[in-house]
Amino acid sequence: MDRTSLIGELNSRGLRDEAGTGPLYKRLAQALAGLIQEGLLKPGTALPGERDLAEALQLGRVTVRTAYRDLLASGAIESRHGSGTFVSQQVERIEQSLWRLSSFSADMRSRGREPAARILQRTVSPPAPEESFLLGLGLEEPVLRLDRLRLADGQPLAIERAVVPVKFLGEDAVSEGSLYDALAGNGFKPVRALQRLTAVTLDPSSAAILNVKAGAPALLIERISRLEDQRVVEYTRSHYRGDAYDFVAELRIGEDL
C-alpha cells in the first residue's frame, strides 16, 4: 500500500468521527492495527514518519507518536535504527504436543515447512560434573556439545544446545540435519524423554540470534532422552521463541474423580 492509499484508508475509518470513542491516538492505533490484520499493510511495509503522517492526517505529532508507541509495544510494528518504522514480520504460531517425542526437523516437515539448522558452536570435551551425572558418564568420557539455531522456512525459531556422548554419535555425525536421525543411524534411537518447561526472557545475545528484542518471552525446554535400555543419550537445553510456539498436552480425568 502506497502513502496515498494509506492516508485514504485511515481517513475512511472515521478518526475524527465525533461518535468515536477513546482518545484520538487510540483510534489511530486501532485503525493501523486493523489494516495490518486485514493484510492491507503487509509485513515489512515502511510506515510514514511521525511528522509526515501527522501532517497528512492533520493530527498532532504527539498523537501519531503515541499511536506508534502503542503498536510498538504490541509488536505490530517495529522500529529499525536509522531506517524508520515498519510493519513487523509476523511469525506463524506452531502448536507442539508435549506427549510426542520427535525431532524439530520431523515436526516442521509434518507442517509442510522446510527445516534447517545453523551451527553456532561445536566442541568435543570432557563432561562437566553435572553433565557427567545426568548422562551417566565418567569424567574422562568425551561429549559433543552442539549449539544450533533452528529455522523453518528461513525463520529463526529456537536455539538448541545439545550435549551427547561421543560414543553414541561420533564427533562429525551431525551438521544441519536431525540429531535424532543421526543417533538412529548409529543404532542409538531415543525412545523416551523427560522434558521440563520454564518461562524465561531472552538475554540480548540470544534475542539477537532469534531476531527478537532483548527481554522477549521464550520457553526454556530442558530434555533428557533415553534409549530402550534406559541409558541417557542426549541432554538438551533449548530456547523457543514465545511468540512462535504453543505447547499443548491432552489430559484425561482419572476414574476416581
Side-chain angles (χ1 to χ4, degrees), residues 20 36 101 114 133 136-137 154 204 213 215 220 243 247:
I36 294 170
L101 178 60
E114 184 61 34
F133 175 77
L137 298 175
K213 293 182 179 179
L220 168 61
D243 64 343
F247 287 86

Side-chain angles (χ1 to χ4, degrees), residues 50-112:
E50 293 174 4
R51 177 178 297 173
D52 288 345
L53 188 59
E55 290 178 355
L57 295 174
Q58 296 183 344
L59 298 174
R61 189 170 177 180
V62 172
T63 298
V64 176
R65 179 182 302 130
T66 310
Y68 275 7
R69 189 178 300 156
D70 269 17
L71 293 169
L72 285 166
S74 71
I77 64 175
E78 59 188 28
S79 178
R80 301 177 189 171
H81 183 68
S83 298
T85 305
F86 298 81
V87 178
S88 296
Q89 296 287 345
Q90 299 299 312
V91 179
E92 180 184 349
R93 296 192 70 86
I94 296 170
E95 189 172 280
Q96 175 67 45
S97 171
L98 287 173
W99 296 112
R100 181 171 174 266
L101 178 60
S102 61
S103 70
F104 178 92
S105 297
D107 286 338
M108 293 304 104
R109 290 194 182 100
S110 70
R111 292 170 169 81

Side-chain angles (χ1 to χ4, degrees), residues 219-236:
L219 285 172
L220 168 61
I221 300 182
E222 297 181 272
R223 183 174 66 242
I224 298 174
S225 302
R226 295 181 181 272
L227 303 173
E228 190 67 54
D229 62 9
Q230 296 301 310
R231 285 182 294 171
V232 176
V233 71
E234 168 215 22
Y235 170 54
T236 296

Side-chain angles (χ1 to χ4, degrees), residues 150-162:
R150 305 312 307 265
L151 308 99
D153 296 335
Q155 185 76 44
L157 295 181
I159 299 172
E160 178 186 87
R161 298 179 172 93

Side-chain angles (χ1 to χ4, degrees), residues 168-188:
F168 294 138
L169 193 59
E171 297 184 10
D172 303 311
V174 177
S175 55
E176 298 183 355
S178 165
L179 176 61
Y180 281 8
D181 286 349
L183 286 166
N186 276 5
F188 300 108

